[in-house]
Amino acid sequence: MENRGSISIHAQNIMPIIKKWLYSDKDIFIRELVSNGCDAITKRKLAQPEAEVEYRVTVSVDEAAGVLTFADNGIGMTAEEVEKYINQVAFSGAEEFLKQYGGEGDEKKGGIIGHFGLGFYSAFMVASKVEIDTLSCMEGSQAVRWTSEDGMTFAMEPSARAAAGTTITLTISEEEHEFLHEYRVREVLDKYCAFLTTPVYLDAVEKETPAAEAGEEKEAPAGPKPINDTHPLWLKKPSDCTEEEYKAFYTKVFHEYEPPLFWVHLNVDYPFNLKGILYFPKLKQEFGGMLEGPIKLFSGQVFVADNIKEVIPEFLTLLKGVIDCPDLPLNVSRSFLQNDGYVKKLSAYITRKVADRLTGLFASERENYEKYWNDIHPFIKFGCMKDDAFYDRMKDALLLKTTDERMMTIQAYLDANREKAENKVFYASDAKVQAAAIALYTQQGIDVVLFDSPIDTNFISFLEYKNKDVRYSRVDADLSGLTSDEAAEAALDADKLTALFRDALGKEDLQVKLESLKNADLPAMAIEEEQMRRFKDMSRLYGGGFAMPSAASLVLNKRSPVIAALSAREADEDAKMICRQVYDLAEMARQPLEAEAMGAFIERSNKFLERLLK
Ligand code: ADP
Ligand code: MG
């Protein structure tokens, strides 16, 4: 006896939208159907603890027949249950979602729905016909077959199925042929189902095999090995896990052969149920270290998505890892997650655990911590800027690296240099280019630290904002501490020198100053005020595009014999050539010359060589 009807009223409204939106994450139908099978098995284990069944979900691909099946030996459904759970209530979750995001097709919505799953009806994204063949495991149940071609109307009839469980058969529509390829299905299973609680097998029916004899229930032969690991490492007690296991898990999940530096194993049942492992990867220099990740979010071993920012603070997504929160209400909308107190606490807890691990290393394994610093500093700096609570925990464990490769905390730097530079941190952004300026400080016993990664421009301003007493000054930003009290031998003509340099360089408004620098061999330095230079660095960083004129001033060293000689001689062409050379050398000690200036510098240098030999 056949029973036909319409699926709940919501279906009429929702099906067309599902089909239209869900193109980007179509592959989630596989996750939904496989996890339904796992759920059904969990339910049967509860309902029939005594049943001796080898539980499994089997996915079979039959390209020739154009079908994909999902078979489980779980609890199954009676006709009444199909009527209730499939025909009536299956859409309630989706409906709530669509109320929030409803309206005309915004392309992003597809992705959002995809992350949170629509359950059974997602099958209609790829199938022109969906069949459920099911037998409840309860004594005396009658097997039933449900068929629908559009997700809006259905037919139900008795089935000859003899074994308890459910088989969902999808006739894959033409445009979705990819889901009839074994490798494609395997790829999706690996993505979403790699850690499901029940063994999942993938079974491909060979093309040559003749179609199954009509009427005969074809039991899919099991693949040799399940595609999933039902006991992922994150569920184990941290004290039971070995270093090898952590590393092997990392390689397997992230296909990353460079071992991680260290990791944090999260494992709590209270106040929330949270398990996971976060790895600190070795930095990939080519990316400046800012494109690491992902952090995979699971809900009860079912993969949900990578880097869900509502749950995992953005800066943590520079790490690689897995987080499993079975209690997260992931079937509801993201705006709910954003406002959910539970999710906020969870997110704060994860951050705290990561900070504790880092400060723990700092306190008890300082040598390792220093060794890791090069790899982890962009992450720590980014985290400090993004999250005050993280900064508060980390602030005493922030390290500065000196130009001679020593590591010191900010406080240690200030203590060590207090006499010569009170509450000032001198830094260089490029150890090679700024070598001459660096030497001016180090020769006097002042430490110079390196801030040479892209994040540092922002981080320095952040540090000054957090601690207004301490100023950061680049080695070419001011002369404090670099000038000498020794009087110059001869009085120099400042006006004459200024005019000479301006004329030689064709820069009418060049700022020229005369100072006695401690190092008499250095004819001149180009100095650019810290705030001005930072402002320019920032606008370059954010792609301002336009080149701002240099606001550097030229400091001539009264103690340099070159400057003394220039002051004494007449302003002929040779004097101008020397001025240009002095200027270029001073600029080069600050930043690389532009191509044109570099060309002129080389040409001029060659002329000097010819002159020497004449
Ligand atoms: P959810 O899994 O979130 O409840 P679904 O749309 O995936 O939503 O499934 C709806 C309901 O259909 C399930 O709650 C369950 O009662 C029933 N169901 C779906 N698939 C199966 C299955 N393989 N075995 C038994 N029951 C199932
Ligand atoms: Mg489901």
Side-chain angles (χ1 to χ4, degrees):
M1 184 194 55
E2 209 186 62
N3 162 18
R4 289 183 172 274
S6 296
I7 296 162
S8 80
I9 181 73
H10 309 308
Q12 326 283 330
N13 307 327
I14 292 169
M15 259 345 276
I17 306 175
I18 291 176
K19 286 196 174 182
K20 191 165 137 209
W21 276 357
L22 279 180
Y23 57 88
S24 61
D25 279 316
K26 267 191 184 144
D27 58 5
I28 60 134
F29 79 92
I30 293 182
R31 171 186 75 182
E32 295 302 322
L33 298 181
V34 173
S35 61
N36 279 352
C38 289
D39 291 348
I41 286 167
T42 308
K43 288 178 195 161
R44 183 169 179 190
K45 283 182 186 164
L46 287 172
Q48 292 188 326
E50 72 293 344
E52 275 179 37
V53 185
E54 202 199 304
Y55 289 112
R56 60 165 63 202
V57 173
T58 307
V59 181
S60 314
V61 190
D62 186 343
E63 188 175 3
V67 300
L68 189 58
T69 60
F70 299 80
D72 68 69
N73 45 11
I75 194 161
M77 284 179 275
T78 62
E80 292 71 39
E81 285 165 337
V82 172
E83 175 64 33
K84 182 167 169 204
Y85 298 124
I86 300 292
N87 292 348
Q88 300 301 327
V89 300
F91 274 111
S92 51
E95 221 217 353
E96 134 91 9
F97 176 88
L98 289 167
K99 256 190 221 143
Q100 296 250 357
Y101 290 94
E104 272 312 295
D106 172 353
E107 305 193 349
K108 280 194 206 126
K109 288 170 189 158
I112 299 170
I113 303 181
H115 286 154
F116 297 103
L118 274 173
F120 171 75
Y121 279 90
S122 58
F124 287 95
M125 293 187 295
V126 298
S128 56
K129 184 164 105 183
V130 178
E131 275 175 73
I132 305 175
D133 188 31
T134 182
L135 174 62
S136 165
C137 69
M138 298 305 163
E139 276 287 327
S141 299
Q142 161 67 48
V144 56
R145 182 187 305 273
W146 176 99
T147 314
S148 173
E149 288 177 4
D150 56 6
M152 293 183 276
T153 55
F154 69 92
M156 252 204 306
E157 59 186 333
S159 150
R161 184 186 177 105
T166 303
T167 301
I168 312 282
T169 305
L170 310 189
T171 303
I172 299 294
S173 49
E174 250 166 64
E175 316 82 83
E176 310 300 341
H177 194 83
E178 61 180 289
F179 295 111
L180 291 171
H181 293 146
E182 184 193 353
Y183 76 88
R184 176 68 177 122
V185 175
R186 185 179 298 281
E187 179 183 81
V188 181
L189 287 171
D190 285 342
K191 176 172 166 193
Y192 291 111
C193 305
F195 300 104
L196 290 184
T197 50
T198 302
V200 177
Y201 292 84
L202 174 61
D203 171 43
V205 177
E206 297 297 330
K207 279 198 175 118
E208 297 78 36
T209 323
E213 269 87 294
E216 205 180 316
E217 255 297 59
K218 192 171 144 289
E219 211 28 340
K225 260 175 66 182
I227 58 103
N228 54 334
D229 168 4
T230 55
H231 292 99
L233 193 64
W234 71 74
L235 294 179
K236 274 182 130 186
K237 277 219 312 254
S239 55
D240 293 343
C241 302
T242 66
E243 186 169 331
E244 282 64 42
E245 284 178 312
Y246 283 119
K247 288 184 175 166
F249 184 77
Y250 180 76
T251 306
K252 187 175 150 216
V253 176
F254 299 102
H255 310 288
E256 182 66 70
Y257 294 91
E258 177 95 55
L261 300 169
F262 56 97
W263 45 86
V264 191
H265 193 153
L266 307 164
N267 189 312
V268 283
D269 296 318
Y270 185 83
F272 18 66
N273 190 348
L274 168 71
K275 309 248 157 35
I277 305 171
L278 299 180
Y279 290 93
F280 286 77
K282 196 146 172 51
L283 245 189
K284 293 217 178 58
Q285 288 303 341
E286 62 265 36
F287 296 140
M290 299 305 272
L291 275 179
E292 294 293 344
I295 294 197
K296 296 177 175 295
L297 184 66
F298 291 80
S299 175
Q301 298 176 234
V302 184
F303 175 70
V304 177
D306 287 330
N307 299 340
I308 299 246
K309 69 174 197 306
E310 288 79 2
V311 181
I312 298 153
E314 189 191 358
F315 73 95
L316 287 183
T317 61
L318 296 176
L319 305 181
K320 285 183 173 24
V322 292
I323 297 262
D324 192 346
C325 315
D327 301 334
L328 264 191
L330 289 178
N331 53 346
V332 297
S333 66
R334 292 195 115 164
S335 64
F336 176 84
L337 285 180
Q338 273 163 11
N339 300 317
D340 189 38
Y342 176 87
V343 174
K344 282 215 178 78
K345 278 195 208 115
L346 191 73
S347 169
Y349 177 85
I350 298 172
T351 305
R352 180 149 61 84
K353 281 295 175 196
V354 170
D356 286 351
R357 176 78 171 107
L358 290 166
T359 51
L361 271 179
F362 173 78
S364 61
E365 290 178 55
R366 180 68 180 265
E367 211 173 298
N368 277 331
Y369 183 79
E370 291 187 1
K371 210 168 68 199
Y372 298 148
W373 182 257
N374 280 337
D375 288 293
I376 62 178
H377 79 93
F379 162 79
I380 293 178
K381 289 169 179 173
F382 192 47
C384 284
M385 292 191 281
K386 283 278 168 190
D387 184 327
D388 269 348
F390 185 74
Y391 168 74
D392 285 336
R393 285 176 181 270
M394 292 305 304
K395 64 175 185 280
D396 297 326
L398 299 175
L399 295 182
L400 300 172
K401 182 163 113 186
T402 64
T403 48
D404 54 354
E405 308 257 318
R406 284 170 300 125
M407 298 281 189
M408 44 171 77
T409 61
I410 299 175
Q411 194 52 50
Y413 179 98
L414 295 173
D415 291 344
N417 296 283
R418 189 167 306 284
E419 272 178 31
K420 287 175 172 137
E422 174 130 46
N423 278 339
K424 248 191 165 172
V425 176
F426 290 102
Y427 71 95
S429 59
D430 186 322
K432 286 198 193 102
V433 170
Q434 291 154 4
I438 292 168
L440 289 172
Y441 290 84
T442 53
Q443 275 160 10
Q444 301 174 64
I446 299 175
D447 293 309
V448 174
V449 302
L450 275 175
F451 275 121
D452 56 0
S453 89
I455 195 169
D456 284 329
T457 308
N458 286 308
F459 190 61
I460 290 169
S461 302
F462 171 80
L463 287 174
E464 288 184 340
Y465 164 75
K466 282 289 177 187
N467 183 353
K468 304 210 162 49
D469 293 337
V470 178
R471 293 285 117 189
Y472 291 74
S473 180
R474 207 167 89 173
V475 284
D476 56 6
D478 75 32
L479 292 170
S480 59
L482 296 181
T483 50
S484 159
D485 299 332
E486 283 171 59
E489 316 243 309
L492 302 186
D493 186 340
D495 289 344
K496 180 178 169 192
L497 281 167
T498 303
L500 177 63
F501 271 89
R502 284 183 176 169
D503 184 33
L505 294 161
K507 292 183 196 291
E508 264 323 295
D509 42 12
L510 180 73
Q511 295 291 318
V512 182
K513 286 184 206 143
L514 273 174
E515 297 279 358
S516 290
L517 298 182
K518 282 199 173 128
N519 178 356
D521 293 336
L522 197 66
M525 272 181 82
I527 296 289
E528 186 166 18
E529 197 267 320
E530 178 77 14
Q531 295 307 327
M532 187 61 197
R533 198 211 65 248
R534 266 191 224 174
F535 177 68
K536 286 200 293 190
D537 287 350
M538 287 288 189
S539 51
R540 203 175 313 123
L541 206 60
Y542 296 113
F546 58 96
M548 280 197 267
S550 168
S553 54
L554 186 67
V555 174
L556 303 177
N557 186 2
K558 283 191 215 170
R559 301 178 66 221
S560 152
V562 176
I563 301 300
L566 278 175
S567 169
R569 72 178 282 156
E570 70 181 279
D572 59 6
E573 202 38 51
D574 281 357
K576 287 185 195 164
M577 218 162 107
I578 294 171
C579 288
R580 289 183 203 118
Q581 193 78 352
V582 165
Y583 178 81
D584 282 353
L585 287 168
E587 274 292 311
M588 280 163 97
R590 214 161 65 87
Q591 61 196 16
L593 291 186
E594 297 291 336
E596 202 180 316
M598 193 65 199
F601 173 79
I602 289 171
E603 211 181 297
R604 195 182 320 113
S605 301
N606 289 332
K607 281 216 181 87
F608 283 129
L609 296 180
E610 283 169 28
R611 289 284 190 84
L612 274 176
L613 295 171
K614 258 186 202 155

